[in-house]
Amino acid sequence: MGGTEPPFDAMLAVFFDSGADAQATCGGGKLAALFGDDPNHVDTTIPMQEMIADEYQMGQKPDAASVLSGLRRLKIIRTVYRRNDLDPQQFKDYWLRNHARLEDVVIRQSPVVRIVATFAVPGGLDGKKPPFDGMVELYFKSAEDIRAMFTSSIPAMMREDEKNFVQMDAPAIRFVANEFVTNERTG
């Protein structure tokens, strides 16, 4: 899709029933230790960025389940930092109560199929500062749909509102990714 190389090759998301379950499973270096078992695939000399987060599905098209079925899903991932004058709860509240209204517009007026917002739990993993405050995932049917969305007025509308809660001059990671579901609990 153009652009520069992403700052990493893969990202792993593991879902838990509660924050306590996540802490018990991942805390104390347990998650990082799992990757030391496979030095042929993971460069263990590069520090891992780990965090515990809350994830919210912000909206989706009526056909999202069928469009996103299967093991591969195309998405854009973008990390953000909260504005310096906001605490983590204010940042999350603004996104969920205000910015979410614009995300509804994105679902209705663009090719975005699903929007997921993720919020770092401050100190959630062994008291460590999370590597970022929030992350948005925009799911698409195709690369052409991504291009169409970015040539529309939608990104400018979203960026204008982000000034209310996102630190606009902070570094952010943005990339297009293929999401693969490798294991899913049923029932």
Side-chain angles (χ1 to χ4, degrees):
M1 299 261 343
T4 61
E5 287 286 319
F8 48 84
D9 297 315
M11 185 169 130
L12 172 68
V14 181
F15 295 88
F16 296 92
D17 291 327
S18 69
D21 288 348
Q23 185 62 256
T25 303
C26 301
K30 293 177 202 162
L31 183 61
L34 293 175
F35 297 105
D37 291 342
D38 199 351
N40 294 324
H41 295 88
V42 176
D43 184 350
T44 56
T45 64
I46 298 172
M48 287 182 55
Q49 294 195 15
E50 305 170 290
M51 63 189 276
I52 293 177
D54 286 329
E55 182 176 277
Y56 294 79
Q57 185 170 297
M58 303 305 291
Q60 66 179 9
K61 292 193 183 311
D63 65 345
S66 64
V67 168
L68 301 174
S69 66
L71 298 180
R72 179 185 173 272
R73 299 170 185 150
L74 182 64
K75 65 181 177 179
I76 290 177
I77 299 172
R78 179 173 168 239
T79 62
V80 295
Y81 293 89
R82 63 186 157 85
R83 225 173 54 192
N84 292 330
D85 61 326
L86 299 178
D87 65 36
Q89 190 61 51
Q90 291 170 316
F91 168 77
K92 182 178 176 180
D93 287 346
Y94 186 89
W95 193 329
L96 293 174
R97 292 187 180 138
N98 299 293
H99 197 63
R101 291 186 213 128
L102 294 178
E103 290 171 329
D104 290 340
V105 172
V106 172
I107 291 293
R108 283 193 314 271
Q109 296 181 6
S110 81
V112 173
V113 175
R114 176 182 290 158
I115 300 174
V116 176
T118 302
F119 303 94
V121 174
L125 188 60
D126 300 330
K128 294 178 195 169
K129 183 179 190 285
F132 50 83
D133 294 302
M135 180 174 77
V136 66
E137 297 167 271
L138 306 174
Y139 289 81
F140 295 87
K141 291 180 187 178
S142 68
E144 293 76 27
D145 284 350
I146 292 173
R147 287 183 190 97
M149 199 274 290
F150 279 100
T151 59
S152 74
S153 61
I154 296 285
M157 173 189 71
M158 299 304 282
R159 297 287 287 174
E160 187 61 31
D161 185 59
E162 287 170 359
K163 293 176 186 175
N164 294 310
F165 68 110
V166 171
Q167 189 63 37
M168 300 302 280
D169 61 352
I173 297 172
R174 295 175 190 90
F175 61 98
V176 178
N178 284 310
E179 175 182 273
F180 292 91
V181 178
T182 58
N183 195 356
E184 201 163 26
R185 181 174 60 184
T186 58

